Amino acid sequence: MMEPRHALDVVKAVVPPLATGVVIVAVWAWATRPGGLDAFVLPSPMAVLRALYQGWIGGTLLPHALATGKAALGGLVIGALAGLASGALIVLIRPLEYLMMPLVTALQSVPKIALAPLIISYFGFGLESKVFTVALLCFFPLFVAAATGMRAVDPRLLDMYRAFSASPLHILLHARLPAAAPYVFGALQIAVVLALIGCVVSEFVASTEGLGFIIKSGSGELDIAGMFAAILSLSAMGVAAGLLVKEAQRRIVFWS
Amino acid sequence: MAVAAYEQLRPTVVRAAPTHLEVADVSLTYESRRGRVPALDRLSFDVAQGAFVSVLGPSGCGKSTLLKLASGLLRPMAGRIRLAGEPVTAPRRDVGIVFQQPTLLPWKTVLENVLVPIRAMGRDASAGRERALELLRLVKLEPFAANYPHELSGGMQQRVGIARGLIHDPALLLMDEPFAALDAMTRETMMDELQRIWMSTGKSVLFITHSIPEAVYLSDRILVLSPRPGRLLHSVDVDLPRPRTIETMADPRFVALASRLRQAFVAMAEPA
Ligand SMILES: Nc1ncnc2c1ncn2[C@@H]1O[C@H](COP(=O)(O)OP(=O)(O)OP(=O)(O)O)[C@@H](O)[C@H]1O
Ligand SMILES: [Mg+2]
């Protein structure tokens, strides 16, 4: 049985957003009532629901969602690992920071999305372009979080490890990395969103599959309800991934 | 009698023993953006092999600084520090340290925290486990081996730090007010345990404390430092018989020594 306090917490967490959702859908239904807004501007909730049903149960959206999910996840993993490793490297080897930092700062101020067409002209229309774009976007938040977090470790813990003759690598793995974990999870939360954005933009530019492709072709065919269904599916994927990261953080960074 | 047995075990060789830790003319000044803070001023003393030496001094006089110097975490700006005849240039594996704060890793269990020196030095952790559990029993924390530090009180965390300082069986033990966070009862048991460990292993100990009775109870010699920057004011030998017990605290020599030290402190606090 649930504790009364716990039950109250659940109610508090669920009821207010649900109420907001109901109000939004009600306003939406009212705005798109017969004689209201044109369906080409805003389709009715029922039309979007129908498109969603057809897309997911009928199976037309599923392969595209999978394609987007696969590219986003692949790019996220590669970009995040590269960011983590580079962040650790500049913390471990001080001089590297002076060599890398100007370059990284310069690259960071480039709107990476603007590179998507260029990347496609290098890597072609396939998965590689999407993965590369996503990895590039996800690299920076993880790099900054790793470098910041690994430096934010309590200096007394570093002294303690040094007093017991620990090697810099041992200190990195056992003190700096765990200390950076809260920062890394914060960055992952951002990277999840960036991964979906990068993937969809890449699909806008050139692709034959993915939710970005569905949205773009829906715009060409004036299938507004279908576009909305794809956008909602994308949001759901983003929310689910965000919750997953949050749950992983709760379990892994149990001490904070 | 226990005392006689001890006298046989450790006769007065304590003072004739070779020097273990040598601190000679050591000065250290912290330089920060807000200015220079002289912490230690031409401090000299020796810790003989197997001796128990305490350092007493007012807050901020440089006691923790002295410990960091002795451990090799800091380098002196002047003077020299030698351990078993060798200059101390970096932390050494034959030294154990108990910090003023527990400095435990919040992401490791109590047992793993005690094993930190073993793992850091790349030694066999499976053999260390037995010893870690034994040390946890000694500091009365065996039931908490699988707990995390945030589930322990401040005094319990400090005792984990004590077990960690002993895990690799160091020849020289540096302790920075290890019992300050403990309640009176636990403090007395810990004092007895420390005396027992020291007597049975022949370690040298450099022990920092604010407590005069604690210093008298445990030490062969007590060094009294001046307010910042720390200089050596007094060096007092304590030749009360071992092992010392609750009764020792009532011994007139114990009482006289404690009150002499207290007077030295009072004199220090008065403006010159
Ligand atoms: N990293 C540092 N930078 C600048 N000043 C410092 C630093 N560490 C310590 N000090 C100063 O040096 C002096 C000695 O510090 P230390 O920690 O050795 O004192 P202590 O005798 O251990 O004091 P307490 O008994 O309160 O622990 C203090 O006045 C302190 O302000
Ligand atoms: Mg101190």
Side-chain angles (χ1 to χ4, degrees):
Chain A
M1 226 182 76
M2 252 198 296
E3 296 262 331
R5 240 217 87 73
H6 201 126
L8 192 68
D9 285 344
V10 170
V11 168
K12 269 188 191 161
V14 170
V15 170
L18 208 66
T20 314
V22 167
V23 169
I24 289 175
V25 172
V27 171
W28 180 9
W30 175 81
T32 54
R33 72 196 181 281
L37 280 176
D38 196 298
F40 288 122
V41 178
L42 185 64
S44 73
M46 272 320 288
V48 173
L49 212 60
R50 210 175 302 122
L52 268 176
Y53 180 84
Q54 276 164 7
W56 282 93
I57 307 299
T60 48
L61 270 182
L62 187 66
H64 293 288
L66 281 180
T68 299
K70 197 165 72 181
L73 186 66
L76 176 68
V77 168
I78 293 171
L81 285 180
L84 265 180
S86 313
L89 215 59
I90 71 157
V91 171
L92 200 58
I93 307 166
R94 242 292 138 75
L96 270 185
E97 183 177 358
Y98 306 113
L99 293 173
M100 275 174 76
M101 236 21 208
L103 186 71
V104 169
T105 319
L107 276 178
Q108 199 172 8
S109 44
V110 173
K112 262 83 58 191
I113 281 296
L115 301 180
L118 195 65
I119 291 167
I120 282 163
S121 65
Y122 292 152
F123 291 93
F125 282 19
L127 185 65
E128 292 88 344
S129 287
K130 289 204 252 177
V131 169
F132 189 85
T133 308
V134 172
L136 191 65
L137 277 170
C138 295
F139 173 85
F140 291 94
L142 267 297
F143 171 79
V144 172
T148 316
M150 287 184 185
R151 290 226 176 82
V153 57
D154 183 348
R156 289 173 303 184
L157 288 182
L158 296 180
D159 265 356
M160 184 276 291
Y161 258 122
R162 281 191 206 113
F164 291 118
S165 307
S167 70
L169 186 64
H170 188 91
I171 296 177
L172 186 91
L173 292 176
H174 290 86
R176 291 190 186 275
L177 194 61
Y183 293 78
V184 168
F185 276 103
L188 271 179
Q189 217 43 272
I190 294 167
V192 160
V193 178
L194 287 179
L196 286 175
I197 292 175
C199 203
V200 167
V201 167
S202 192
E203 286 162 357
F204 282 173
V205 178
S207 186
T208 51
E209 57 173 0
L211 290 174
F213 165 74
I214 295 291
I215 294 168
K216 194 184 165 201
S217 55
S219 141
E221 295 156 18
L222 289 180
D223 177 11
I224 311 293
M227 288 169 75
F228 267 81
I231 292 167
L232 282 180
S233 306
L234 216 45
S235 313
M237 284 165 69
V239 169
L243 288 176
L244 225 60
V245 170
K246 210 170 169 181
E247 181 59 19
Q249 173 167 18
R250 203 180 60 78
R251 279 164 195 252
I252 295 172
V253 195
F254 60 88
W255 61 87
S256 66
Chain B
M1 218 174 88
V3 174
Y6 165 68
E7 306 277 51
Q8 273 177 353
L9 200 71
R10 297 171 61 97
T12 39
V13 287
V14 168
R15 237 165 283 158
T19 302
H20 194 169
L21 175 70
E22 179 193 353
V23 174
D25 261 335
V26 163
S27 301
L28 187 125
T29 299
Y30 286 107
E31 316 225 6
S32 67
R33 244 159 287 165
R34 262 169 293 137
R36 296 159 56 86
V37 180
L40 287 174
D41 183 24
R42 282 164 293 160
L43 186 64
S44 296
F45 67 90
D46 289 348
V47 177
Q49 201 83 48
F52 198 116
V53 175
S54 288
V55 179
L56 272 174
S59 182
C61 76
K63 300 183 297 297
S64 296
T65 304
L66 170 63
L67 225 67
K68 283 187 189 155
L69 285 163
S71 69
L73 283 173
L74 282 178
R75 303 285 303 275
M77 297 174 77
R80 59 174 199 281
I81 297 176
R82 287 166 177 275
L83 227 147
E86 289 170 36
V88 174
T89 54
R92 292 168 44 128
R93 287 158 182 252
D94 54 352
V95 175
I97 183 161
V98 179
F99 293 91
Q100 192 166 2
Q101 283 93 20
T103 54
L104 303 179
L105 302 165
W107 45 82
K108 291 200 190 226
T109 61
V110 164
L111 180 68
E112 277 301 321
N113 265 290
V114 175
L115 283 170
V116 156
I118 298 288
R119 296 206 191 276
M121 293 174 191
R123 294 192 191 161
D124 178 18
S126 57
R129 269 180 108 73
E130 278 307 304
R131 195 176 148 69
L133 287 170
E134 198 179 298
L135 284 167
L136 283 174
R137 199 171 311 135
L138 200 98
V139 297
K140 314 264 181 305
L141 284 176
E142 209 192 3
F144 294 91
N147 285 69
Y148 285 91
H150 66 87
E151 298 165 328
L152 269 54
S153 75
M156 290 158 91
Q157 294 183 10
Q158 190 57 29
R159 283 177 296 168
V160 178
I162 295 170
R164 179 182 63 194
L166 287 164
I167 185 75
H168 55 303
D169 196 19
L172 172 66
L173 186 57
L174 306 170
M175 305 182 93
D176 196 348
E177 302 187 33
F179 306 149
L182 308 187
D183 62 90
M185 285 290 292
T186 317
R187 179 190 284 234
E188 275 178 19
T189 6
M190 287 296 126
M191 275 162 61
D192 277 332
E193 287 295 347
L194 180 59
Q195 176 175 242
R196 199 179 55 70
I197 293 170
W198 171 73
M199 284 174 67
S200 61
T201 56
K203 294 182 194 307
S204 315
V205 182
L206 183 61
F207 184 89
I208 287 166
T209 177
H210 270 136
S211 157
I212 292 172
E214 196 174 277
V216 178
Y217 191 90
L218 288 167
S219 315
D220 294 326
R221 192 146 49 90
I222 301 172
L223 309 171
V224 181
L225 298 191
S226 71
R228 200 187 74 203
R231 280 172 295 112
L232 188 59
L233 282 188
H234 307 282
S235 171
V236 182
D237 286 318
V238 186
D239 44 16
L240 294 164
R242 305 259 189 189
R244 297 172 188 159
T245 60
I246 314 274
E247 284 91 77
T248 316
M249 293 205 204
D251 188 312
R253 285 177 293 172
F254 185 102
V255 177
L257 196 52
S259 93
R260 248 181 69 203
L261 286 164
R262 202 160 289 121
Q263 277 160 15
F265 261 81
V266 173
M268 210 183 323
E270 280 163 3

